[in-house]
Amino acid sequence: MSDSPAPDTSPTGTDDPLSDAQIQEYRAEINRLDEEILAAVKRRTQISRAVGKARMGSGGTRLVHTREVAIINQFREELGEEGPELAAILLRLGRGRLG
Amino acid sequence: MSDSPAPDTSPTGTDDPLSDAQIQEYRAEINRLDEEILAAVKRRTQISRAVGKARMGSGGTRLVHTREVAIINQFREELGEEGPELAAILLRLGRGRLG
């Protein structure tokens, strides 16, 4: 499901009403961004699996190592140390289950 | 930098010209999605750090555990087993460096 996680029930962790309102607003934006991230990741996964199939269907390899390395490096440049881990998840999703 | 990773130099892993063209097209879309993912993740990180500051500045806690659990569950529902790992990266980025 695509509903935001419990937007009205999670405590904000502050008793200050002004901060509370501001935090609720920030959270709404984070929820929107999470939806955006999830949609893009799912679309990326579909396409990446299609690439693997197209490549194997034409007698090629399922993975192209240089391309994966370039993506990992790009994510490191953009996000720092967490970047390669995020890239690795995207690459694993794109491979899908074997068998 | 925001350039796509080596779009013209990576081998496609196939010798078939039709598949090669199709794979190049797919890759261009993956590169666009990666830009979208990176931009959303960076924006999310900024906002999440602002939330932590606002909360601490008003005498609250830096993290709200129930909210983090809800996000992790949402990512699992949407992406399966890789979901919680992706959520954990986003949550770590949002905490930023201590000190």
Side-chain angles (χ1 to χ4, degrees), chain A residues 6-40:
Chain A
D8 298 321
T9 55
S10 274
T12 56
T14 177
D15 293 328
D16 181 59
L18 197 65
S19 301
D20 187 83
Q22 193 188 25
I23 288 169
Q24 292 291 3
E25 216 172 282
Y26 280 143
R27 275 187 181 169
E29 191 168 348
I30 288 175
N31 289 346
R32 273 195 304 276
L33 288 165
D34 283 351
E35 294 298 333
E36 210 178 298
I37 291 165
L38 285 166

Side-chain angles (χ1 to χ4, degrees), chain B residues 38-50:
Chain B
L38 285 165
V41 167
K42 283 197 268 190
R43 179 83 184 117
R44 189 198 197 283
T45 298
Q46 288 177 330
I47 299 168
S48 186
R49 290 180 186 182

